[in-house]
Amino acid sequence: MASNFLKTKDIAIIACADVKNQRRSGRTAYDFCGDVMVALLEKAGIGPGDIDGLAVNMPTAEAGNTFYSNMVADNLGLAPRWTQTSDIGGCAPLGNVVRAAAALTTGQCEMVMSLATDATGTTGVDHRQLGGFRAEFMEPFGFQGPPTAFGFLSSAYDQRYGLNFDALAKLAGAQRDGAIRNDSALENFRKPITAEDYLNSRMIAYPIRLLDCVMRCDGGSGVLITTTERAKRMGVKRMVHPVAYAEITNFDPSDSTPDITETGFSVVGPEVLAKAGMSAGDVGMFHPYDDFLIAVLLQLEQIGFCGRGEGGDFLLNTDISTGGALPINTGGGQISFGQPGLGGGGVNLTEALRQLFGEAGERQVPDARNALVTGIGVIPYLRNWGTSSCMILEA
């Protein structure tokens, strides 16, 4: 296990911001970067010249752009001394925080702005050419897109353990309750749903229902990261520390016929808890990447909140509301908030930070002190997700 250089709490996140999600906004990822930067600078009381580090995700429309971080800096009028572009999908926002922490620790920069924006809903065109999807096997049989992949995954889980759809209905309703109280959520998601609404929603790719699925949209979020020492000199009153992180890409490559219900979270989940000196029972809030509800169920089991096949019972027997024993995705998660582009991990990170900053308003978790946030990467052909990441944050 790698050492945990974050445990000293020498790194601080001092601000987070997002923009209101939109469908087919007609804008670009660069536009949303500007909006998020303005909000971050205002919150922190600093100017563009104070930012000397820039970390960005790789938007779908910019896939293959070798100079994306340079283009973002140019559009924002920044002259960073350190840049990072991460291409690990929904893991990129968390990955960029820890990469920025490493750059800050080694003195490469002093104030990093990390941005995760996308506007794929604008064009509807996907220019990627991904060999791992094995299109020659998929397309002739109608295997198209993530819903089909998660349909296979859900069927495999159902055959092994039995899927508890009442538990998924409870999770869907709880996350929607958070979106109703989140001004940045997509407008059409700011309406309550019942368990019956979930169970009666139309089938997309058996057993995936419409209300199991995330909706792609235009939007984004960002955070400011610096050293704790500098934050104190700036007079920052509230800061959040990333205290542990673990990440794995291409889980179990030696198995050519893998069990698709097993994921990298079986490795990085227990590892991140050990690095933080915690057990799953010590986690105050859980903000898991949730492009599909089954992903939350698998993460609960493989990180260690419950045993294999027990995720449904855990959800039914646990209060996951904002005032409950384990609040989950209190801002709606991506499923009820919207997923900017194809990798919206900034949604879950920003909500965790809002809670820890005490900025969540009507959905504020009482006495929020720590949070576990996760990210998920690409879904290769008949394998589980390509990257899994976990981060523990403390106020």
Side-chain angles (χ1 to χ4, degrees):
M1 182 187 300
S3 63
N4 181 19
F5 77 99
L6 298 173
K7 65 182 178 181
T8 55
K9 297 187 180 180
D10 291 334
I11 300 299
I13 300 172
I14 62 171
C16 67
D18 60 16
V19 295
K20 185 173 179 59
N21 283 341
Q22 303 173 54
R23 292 296 310 281
R24 300 179 179 89
S25 65
R27 305 181 70 201
T28 69
Y30 297 105
D31 294 336
F32 291 116
C33 282
D35 290 348
V36 173
M37 183 179 80
V38 169
L40 288 172
L41 296 180
E42 182 178 350
K43 277 191 169 185
I46 61 176
D50 294 305
I51 297 172
D52 61 353
L54 177 65
V56 291
N57 70 322
M58 177 59 76
T60 309
E62 296 292 335
N65 182 354
T66 310
F67 309 106
Y68 181 63
S69 62
N70 180 278
M71 297 297 99
V72 173
D74 184 44
N75 274 268
L76 299 181
L78 301 176
R81 309 304 296 268
W82 173 86
T83 63
Q84 169 75 36
T85 302
S86 291
D87 60 353
I88 47 176
C91 293
L94 293 182
N96 278 343
V97 169
V98 79
R99 288 156 174 77
L104 290 161
T105 299
T106 54
Q108 298 179 67
C109 53
E110 295 185 354
M111 178 72 68
V112 176
M113 180 171 65
S114 178
L115 300 171
T117 70
D118 211 332
T120 56
T122 302
T123 63
V125 177
D126 190 343
H127 298 289
R128 300 170 304 156
Q129 294 183 355
L130 299 180
F133 279 168
R134 303 303 298 271
E136 71 273 21
F137 295 145
M138 295 164 57
E139 292 179 357
F141 298 98
F143 188 128
Q144 295 180 341
T148 311
F150 277 91
F152 272 111
L153 173 58
S154 298
S155 293
Y157 182 95
D158 193 27
Q159 291 169 18
R160 175 165 295 189
Y161 302 114
L163 262 177
N164 191 321
F165 295 105
D166 290 334
L168 296 179
K170 176 183 177 180
L171 178 60
Q175 294 200 173
R176 180 60 62 89
D177 288 345
I180 291 169
R181 294 173 287 171
N182 190 339
D183 292 340
S184 295
L186 283 169
E187 284 298 331
N188 51 322
F189 287 163
R190 300 188 66 198
K191 302 172 184 176
I193 57 172
T194 64
E196 289 72 24
D197 291 330
Y198 168 82
L199 294 169
N200 293 328
S201 62
R202 65 185 174 90
M203 201 64 67
I204 302 298
Y206 184 83
I208 295 291
R209 294 170 164 83
L210 179 65
L211 290 179
D212 281 297
C213 306
V214 78
M215 181 181 287
R216 291 171 61 182
C217 63
D218 302 350
S221 59
V223 299
L224 287 176
I225 313 151
T226 188
T227 62
T228 300
E229 180 184 358
R230 179 168 182 181
K232 289 178 178 178
R233 290 201 309 268
M234 293 169 60
V236 174
K237 302 299 183 185
R238 279 184 170 271
M239 60 186 82
V240 174
H241 304 285
V243 296
Y245 181 74
E247 172 188 307
I248 188 170
T249 292
N250 201 31
F251 170 69
D252 199 14
S254 63
D255 190 347
S256 60
T257 57
D259 175 359
I260 63 172
T261 67
E262 281 297 308
T263 79
F265 287 104
S266 62
V267 175
V268 298
E271 182 178 304
V272 80
L273 290 170
K275 284 183 174 182
M278 298 169 60
S279 68
D282 298 320
V283 174
M285 294 180 291
F286 188 37
H287 295 272
Y289 193 96
D290 62 315
D291 44 0
F292 293 84
L293 292 177
I294 182 66
V296 177
L297 191 102
L298 287 175
Q299 290 173 78
L300 284 168
E301 295 179 2
Q302 295 180 26
I303 290 172
F305 290 95
C306 57
R308 297 292 198 279
E310 298 175 0
D313 289 340
F314 180 86
L315 285 170
L316 287 176
N317 296 325
T318 304
D319 186 347
I320 58 175
S321 68
T322 54
L326 183 67
I328 294 181
N329 281 337
T330 53
Q334 294 173 66
I335 288 177
S336 274
F337 177 86
Q339 181 191 64
L342 277 176
V347 169
N348 310 81
L349 172 61
T350 302
E351 176 62 16
L353 290 169
R354 279 227 168 89
Q355 291 287 353
L356 293 171
F357 282 132
E359 298 174 352
E362 294 179 0
R363 63 183 189 279
Q364 180 65 49
V365 171
D367 195 28
R369 295 188 179 183
N370 72 54
L372 173 57
V373 191
T374 71
I376 291 177
V378 69
I379 304 290
Y381 176 64
L382 290 185
R383 298 186 71 87
N384 216 294
W385 37 79
T387 303
S388 304
S389 64
C390 290
M391 178 174 284
I392 293 178
L393 301 166
E394 290 186 1

